[in-house]
Amino acid sequence: MMRRSSSRTAGRMGLLALALSVSAAGAALAAGPAVEPATEPAPRLSREPDREATWASIRPDLFPGKAIAEAGAIVRLDAPERAEDAALVPLTVQLALPPGDPRTLKAVTLVVDENPAPMAGRFTLAEGTRDFSLSLRVRVNSYSFVRAVAETSDGALLMTKSYVKAAGGCSAPATKDTADSIAHVGEMRFRSFAQAGRPEAQVQIRHPNFSGLQIDQWTRGYTPAWFVRAVEVKQGGKLLFAMEGGISISEDPTFRFSYTPSAEQVTVRAEDTDDTVFTQTFPGGGS
Protein backbone atom coordinates (compact mmCIF):
# COMPACT_ATOMS: atom_id res chain seq x y z
CA MET A 1 0.00 0.00 0.00
CA MET A 2 2.74 2.38 0.85
CA ARG A 3 4.46 1.78 -2.52
CA ARG A 4 1.23 2.44 -4.50
CA SER A 5 0.56 5.66 -2.55
CA SER A 6 4.09 6.88 -3.17
CA SER A 7 3.80 6.06 -6.83
CA ARG A 8 0.53 7.97 -7.21
CA THR A 9 1.97 10.96 -5.37
CA ALA A 10 5.04 11.00 -7.58
CA GLY A 11 2.83 10.78 -10.67
CA ARG A 12 0.73 13.74 -9.59
CA MET A 13 3.86 15.79 -8.88
CA GLY A 14 5.30 14.94 -12.33
CA LEU A 15 2.07 16.04 -14.06
CA LEU A 16 2.08 19.27 -12.07
CA ALA A 17 5.72 20.00 -13.07
CA LEU A 18 4.92 19.32 -16.73
CA ALA A 19 1.93 21.67 -16.63
CA LEU A 20 3.99 24.44 -15.07
CA SER A 21 6.71 23.97 -17.71
CA VAL A 22 4.20 24.19 -20.58
CA SER A 23 2.64 27.26 -19.02
CA ALA A 24 6.00 29.00 -18.72
CA ALA A 25 6.90 28.19 -22.30
CA GLY A 26 3.61 29.57 -23.53
CA ALA A 27 4.16 32.79 -21.61
CA ALA A 28 7.62 33.16 -23.12
CA LEU A 29 6.24 32.68 -26.65
CA ALA A 30 3.54 35.25 -26.02
CA ALA A 31 6.09 37.74 -24.80
CA GLY A 32 8.17 37.43 -27.98
CA PRO A 33 11.89 36.63 -28.41
CA ALA A 34 14.35 37.63 -25.73
CA VAL A 35 16.33 40.79 -26.49
CA GLU A 36 20.04 40.74 -25.70
CA PRO A 37 21.50 43.92 -24.19
CA ALA A 38 23.22 46.11 -26.77
CA THR A 39 26.99 45.69 -26.85
CA GLU A 40 29.75 47.30 -28.90
CA PRO A 41 31.07 45.01 -31.67
CA ALA A 42 34.52 43.60 -30.96
CA PRO A 43 37.22 45.42 -32.93
CA ARG A 44 38.52 43.51 -35.96
CA LEU A 45 42.20 42.81 -35.66
CA SER A 46 43.96 43.45 -38.95
CA ARG A 47 46.21 40.67 -40.11
CA GLU A 48 47.96 43.05 -42.51
CA PRO A 49 51.33 44.12 -41.05
CA ASP A 50 52.17 47.79 -40.91
CA ARG A 51 53.99 48.11 -44.23
CA GLU A 52 55.48 51.47 -43.30
CA ALA A 53 56.86 50.46 -39.89
CA THR A 54 60.22 49.32 -41.23
CA TRP A 55 60.63 52.45 -43.33
CA ALA A 56 59.99 54.61 -40.28
CA SER A 57 62.81 52.79 -38.46
CA ILE A 58 65.42 52.83 -41.25
CA ARG A 59 64.77 56.23 -42.78
CA PRO A 60 66.72 58.21 -40.13
CA ASP A 61 69.84 56.13 -40.87
CA LEU A 62 69.54 56.38 -44.65
CA PHE A 63 68.54 60.04 -44.88
CA PRO A 64 69.35 61.63 -41.50
CA GLY A 65 67.59 64.90 -40.90
CA LYS A 66 66.28 65.08 -44.47
CA ALA A 67 62.74 65.88 -45.55
CA ILE A 68 61.41 63.59 -48.29
CA ALA A 69 58.59 64.69 -50.58
CA GLU A 70 56.40 62.75 -52.99
CA ALA A 71 58.10 62.62 -56.37
CA GLY A 72 55.04 62.98 -58.53
CA ALA A 73 55.94 62.60 -62.21
CA ILE A 74 59.65 63.32 -61.65
CA VAL A 75 60.46 59.78 -60.49
CA ARG A 76 58.85 56.64 -61.88
CA LEU A 77 59.58 53.16 -60.53
CA ASP A 78 58.54 50.05 -62.45
CA ALA A 79 58.60 46.84 -60.40
CA PRO A 80 56.62 43.59 -60.53
CA GLU A 81 53.77 43.28 -58.07
CA ARG A 82 54.72 39.62 -57.60
CA ALA A 83 58.25 38.60 -58.60
CA GLU A 84 58.87 35.41 -60.55
CA ASP A 85 62.30 35.03 -58.91
CA ALA A 86 63.03 36.80 -55.63
CA ALA A 87 66.77 36.75 -56.38
CA LEU A 88 66.32 38.45 -59.78
CA VAL A 89 63.66 41.12 -59.38
CA PRO A 90 63.74 43.59 -62.31
CA LEU A 91 63.49 47.28 -61.50
CA THR A 92 63.43 50.31 -63.79
CA VAL A 93 63.78 53.87 -62.54
CA GLN A 94 62.95 56.76 -64.84
CA LEU A 95 63.86 60.30 -63.80
CA ALA A 96 62.75 63.44 -65.64
CA LEU A 97 62.54 67.06 -64.53
CA PRO A 98 59.72 69.09 -66.09
CA PRO A 99 60.45 71.90 -68.57
CA GLY A 100 61.27 75.13 -66.80
CA ASP A 101 62.59 73.44 -63.66
CA PRO A 102 66.04 74.99 -63.17
CA ARG A 103 67.37 72.10 -61.13
CA THR A 104 69.33 69.06 -62.26
CA LEU A 105 69.36 65.48 -60.98
CA LYS A 106 72.21 64.57 -58.67
CA ALA A 107 71.56 60.96 -57.58
CA VAL A 108 68.97 58.26 -57.00
CA THR A 109 68.94 55.74 -54.14
CA LEU A 110 67.13 52.40 -54.29
CA VAL A 111 65.87 50.97 -50.99
CA VAL A 112 64.32 47.56 -50.27
CA ASP A 113 62.75 48.09 -46.85
CA GLU A 114 62.73 44.50 -45.58
CA ASN A 115 66.18 43.44 -46.80
CA PRO A 116 68.91 42.85 -44.19
CA ALA A 117 70.85 45.71 -45.81
CA PRO A 118 68.01 47.93 -47.10
CA MET A 119 70.03 50.25 -49.35
CA ALA A 120 70.36 48.33 -52.61
CA GLY A 121 72.41 51.04 -54.27
CA ARG A 122 73.06 54.76 -54.53
CA PHE A 123 73.63 55.96 -58.08
CA THR A 124 75.42 59.25 -58.64
CA LEU A 125 74.56 60.83 -62.00
CA ALA A 126 76.54 62.94 -64.44
CA GLU A 127 76.68 66.66 -63.77
CA GLY A 128 73.86 68.48 -65.51
CA THR A 129 71.58 65.45 -65.83
CA ARG A 130 67.91 66.33 -66.31
CA ASP A 131 66.57 62.93 -67.27
CA PHE A 132 67.92 59.44 -66.77
CA SER A 133 66.72 55.85 -67.03
CA LEU A 134 68.22 52.90 -65.16
CA SER A 135 67.27 49.21 -65.11
CA LEU A 136 68.79 46.51 -62.91
CA ARG A 137 67.95 43.35 -60.96
CA VAL A 138 67.81 43.12 -57.17
CA ARG A 139 67.17 40.61 -54.41
CA VAL A 140 64.03 40.92 -52.29
CA ASN A 141 64.11 39.02 -49.01
CA SER A 142 60.44 39.29 -48.02
CA TYR A 143 57.29 41.17 -49.03
CA SER A 144 58.51 44.74 -49.10
CA PHE A 145 58.21 48.25 -50.38
CA VAL A 146 60.91 49.12 -52.89
CA ARG A 147 61.67 52.85 -52.99
CA ALA A 148 63.43 55.18 -55.39
CA VAL A 149 64.60 58.41 -53.77
CA ALA A 150 65.97 61.03 -56.17
CA GLU A 151 68.15 63.92 -55.07
CA THR A 152 68.12 67.18 -57.01
CA SER A 153 70.85 69.80 -57.27
CA ASP A 154 69.22 71.92 -54.56
CA GLY A 155 69.34 69.03 -52.09
CA ALA A 156 65.64 68.12 -52.26
CA LEU A 157 64.68 64.44 -51.92
CA LEU A 158 61.79 63.07 -53.98
CA MET A 159 60.46 59.55 -53.44
CA THR A 160 58.22 57.03 -55.12
CA LYS A 161 57.61 53.44 -54.07
CA SER A 162 56.20 50.11 -55.20
CA TYR A 163 55.16 47.07 -53.15
CA VAL A 164 56.77 43.81 -54.29
CA LYS A 165 55.66 40.36 -53.19
CA ALA A 166 58.76 38.18 -53.08
CA ALA A 167 60.60 36.16 -50.44
CA GLY A 168 63.98 34.51 -49.90
CA GLY A 169 65.94 36.48 -52.48
CA CYS A 170 68.90 37.30 -50.25
CA SER A 171 69.43 33.68 -49.17
CA ALA A 172 68.61 32.01 -52.49
CA PRO A 173 71.45 29.91 -53.94
CA ALA A 174 73.27 31.15 -57.02
CA THR A 175 71.49 30.39 -60.28
CA LYS A 176 74.78 29.79 -62.09
CA ASP A 177 77.67 27.43 -61.49
CA THR A 178 79.71 29.00 -58.70
CA ALA A 179 83.04 27.63 -59.92
CA ASP A 180 82.39 29.03 -63.38
CA SER A 181 81.38 32.42 -61.94
CA ILE A 182 84.58 32.60 -59.92
CA ALA A 183 86.68 31.54 -62.91
CA HIS A 184 85.26 34.43 -64.94
CA VAL A 185 84.90 36.96 -62.14
CA GLY A 186 85.42 40.54 -63.26
CA GLU A 187 84.75 39.93 -66.95
CA MET A 188 82.59 42.66 -68.46
CA ARG A 189 80.31 43.26 -71.41
CA PHE A 190 79.13 46.55 -72.87
CA ARG A 191 76.40 46.93 -75.44
CA SER A 192 74.78 49.95 -77.08
CA PHE A 193 71.20 49.77 -78.35
CA ALA A 194 71.54 52.78 -80.65
CA GLN A 195 71.16 50.66 -83.78
CA ALA A 196 67.80 49.48 -82.46
CA GLY A 197 66.72 53.10 -82.09
CA ARG A 198 66.98 53.19 -78.31
CA PRO A 199 69.29 55.70 -76.56
CA GLU A 200 70.45 53.11 -74.05
CA ALA A 201 73.43 50.94 -73.23
CA GLN A 202 74.03 47.98 -70.95
CA VAL A 203 76.94 46.96 -68.76
CA GLN A 204 77.27 43.49 -67.25
CA ILE A 205 79.91 42.44 -64.72
CA ARG A 206 80.54 38.76 -64.01
CA HIS A 207 80.51 38.30 -60.25
CA PRO A 208 78.65 35.88 -57.91
CA ASN A 209 77.74 38.75 -55.59
CA PHE A 210 77.40 36.51 -52.54
CA SER A 211 75.13 38.08 -49.94
CA GLY A 212 76.57 36.27 -46.91
CA LEU A 213 73.16 34.66 -46.27
CA GLN A 214 73.45 31.77 -48.71
CA ILE A 215 74.14 28.22 -47.52
CA ASP A 216 77.09 26.34 -48.99
CA GLN A 217 75.65 23.01 -50.19
CA TRP A 218 78.86 21.14 -49.27
CA THR A 219 79.86 22.61 -45.92
CA ARG A 220 76.30 23.57 -44.84
CA GLY A 221 77.74 26.80 -43.54
CA TYR A 222 77.16 30.33 -44.80
CA THR A 223 79.06 31.45 -47.87
CA PRO A 224 80.98 34.61 -46.87
CA ALA A 225 79.70 37.86 -48.32
CA TRP A 226 81.57 38.86 -51.48
CA PHE A 227 80.01 41.37 -53.83
CA VAL A 228 80.61 44.33 -56.11
CA ARG A 229 80.43 47.39 -53.89
CA ALA A 230 81.28 50.12 -56.41
CA VAL A 231 80.87 50.67 -60.14
CA GLU A 232 81.88 53.66 -62.23
CA VAL A 233 80.98 54.11 -65.91
CA LYS A 234 82.60 56.91 -67.90
CA GLN A 235 82.41 58.03 -71.51
CA GLY A 236 85.54 59.80 -72.72
CA GLY A 237 86.47 60.64 -69.13
CA LYS A 238 83.01 62.03 -68.30
CA LEU A 239 80.98 60.25 -65.66
CA LEU A 240 77.79 58.59 -66.87
CA PHE A 241 76.92 57.12 -63.47
CA ALA A 242 78.59 55.65 -60.40
CA MET A 243 77.12 53.11 -57.99
CA GLU A 244 77.68 52.41 -54.32
CA GLY A 245 76.02 49.03 -53.79
CA GLY A 246 75.38 46.27 -51.30
CA ILE A 247 74.14 42.70 -51.02
CA SER A 248 70.78 43.45 -52.63
CA ILE A 249 72.21 43.67 -56.15
CA SER A 250 71.72 40.35 -57.95
CA GLU A 251 74.57 38.12 -59.14
CA ASP A 252 76.32 39.22 -62.33
CA PRO A 253 75.33 42.89 -61.80
CA THR A 254 73.72 44.24 -64.96
CA PHE A 255 72.81 47.89 -65.57
CA ARG A 256 70.86 49.28 -68.50
CA PHE A 257 70.98 53.06 -68.64
CA SER A 258 70.50 56.19 -70.72
CA TYR A 259 73.30 56.55 -73.23
CA THR A 260 74.21 58.55 -76.32
CA PRO A 261 76.81 56.78 -78.51
CA SER A 262 79.87 58.63 -79.72
CA ALA A 263 83.43 58.01 -80.85
CA GLU A 264 84.57 58.39 -77.25
CA GLN A 265 85.40 55.17 -75.46
CA VAL A 266 83.47 53.86 -72.49
CA THR A 267 85.41 52.75 -69.43
CA VAL A 268 83.89 50.58 -66.73
CA ARG A 269 85.55 50.24 -63.34
CA ALA A 270 84.25 47.89 -60.63
CA GLU A 271 85.53 47.15 -57.12
CA ASP A 272 84.41 44.30 -54.88
CA THR A 273 84.55 43.72 -51.13
CA ASP A 274 87.92 41.94 -51.46
CA ASP A 275 89.32 45.27 -52.74
CA THR A 276 89.83 43.70 -56.18
CA VAL A 277 89.44 46.23 -58.99
CA PHE A 278 88.26 45.30 -62.47
CA THR A 279 88.58 47.72 -65.38
CA GLN A 280 87.73 47.43 -69.05
CA THR A 281 87.41 49.88 -71.95
CA PHE A 282 84.98 49.53 -74.86
CA PRO A 283 84.35 51.37 -78.15
CA GLY A 284 81.79 54.13 -77.70
CA GLY A 285 79.46 52.54 -80.24
CA GLY A 286 79.21 49.37 -78.19
CA SER A 287 80.48 45.85 -78.80
Side-chain angles (χ1 to χ4, degrees):
M1 295 294 294
M2 292 296 295
R3 289 182 180 176
R4 289 178 182 177
S5 177
S6 298
S7 175
R8 289 174 182 172
T9 302
R12 292 192 186 105
M13 294 299 292
L15 290 173
L16 179 60
L18 178 60
L20 290 173
S21 175
V22 171
S23 177
L29 289 173
V35 178
E36 295 291 335
T39 58
E40 291 292 331
R44 295 182 63 184
L45 298 178
S46 174
R47 296 182 180 180
E48 183 71 24
D50 184 353
R51 293 180 176 181
E52 295 288 350
T54 300
W55 172 243
S57 67
I58 65 178
R59 173 179 165 170
D61 294 326
L62 296 175
F63 305 99
K66 297 276 190 172
I68 302 178
E70 292 294 326
I74 294 177
V75 184
R76 177 181 172 184
L77 174 63
D78 293 329
E81 181 179 348
R82 184 178 294 277
E84 293 184 6
D85 187 336
L88 298 166
V89 180
L91 302 179
T92 296
V93 183
Q94 294 179 321
L95 311 173
L97 290 170
D101 192 323
R103 300 175 296 177
T104 58
L105 296 163
K106 184 177 179 181
V108 60
T109 302
L110 294 179
V111 179
V112 184
D113 286 7
E114 304 298 336
N115 277 10
M119 191 189 80
R122 184 179 190 275
F123 297 83
T124 301
L125 308 179
E127 186 175 354
T129 297
R130 291 188 54 81
D131 58 83
F132 191 75
S133 175
L134 175 70
S135 298
L136 70 161
R137 299 172 302 184
V138 301
R139 297 171 169 132
V140 176
N141 207 49
S142 61
Y143 285 24
S144 177
F145 270 120
V146 177
R147 303 172 192 269
V149 183
E151 181 180 356
T152 56
S153 54
D154 62 351
L157 297 180
L158 306 171
M159 181 181 74
T160 191
K161 62 187 179 183
S162 183
Y163 196 73
V164 176
K165 296 178 180 179
C170 292
S171 59
T175 60
K176 299 179 181 178
D177 180 77
T178 300
D180 182 68
S181 294
I182 294 175
H184 295 278
V185 70
E187 292 183 3
M188 300 180 186
R189 294 178 181 175
F190 173 77
R191 180 185 178 189
S192 170
F193 297 93
Q195 293 183 350
R198 297 193 294 271
E200 299 174 328
Q202 179 175 289
V203 167
Q204 182 184 63
I205 305 166
R206 291 293 305 274
H207 203 288
N209 256 33
F210 295 136
S211 66
L213 301 174
Q214 295 144 322
I215 299 293
D216 186 299
Q217 298 301 314
W218 297 102
T219 67
R220 305 307 299 168
Y222 287 102
T223 302
W226 179 37
F227 56 88
V228 174
R229 66 183 177 195
V231 175
E232 187 178 71
V233 182
K234 291 184 176 181
Q235 183 180 23
K238 179 184 177 182
L239 180 71
L240 295 179
F241 75 89
M243 182 206 74
E244 175 191 350
I247 66 171
S248 296
I249 303 296
S250 301
E251 63 182 299
D252 291 342
T254 302
F255 308 99
R256 188 162 176 161
F257 54 95
S258 299
Y259 175 75
T260 302
S262 73
E264 295 180 307
Q265 293 182 322
V266 172
T267 301
V268 181
R269 180 187 184 277
E271 181 178 341
D272 68 15
T273 50
D274 280 354
D275 296 327
T276 304
V277 175
F278 313 98
T279 304
Q280 196 164 342
T281 299
F282 304 90
S287 61

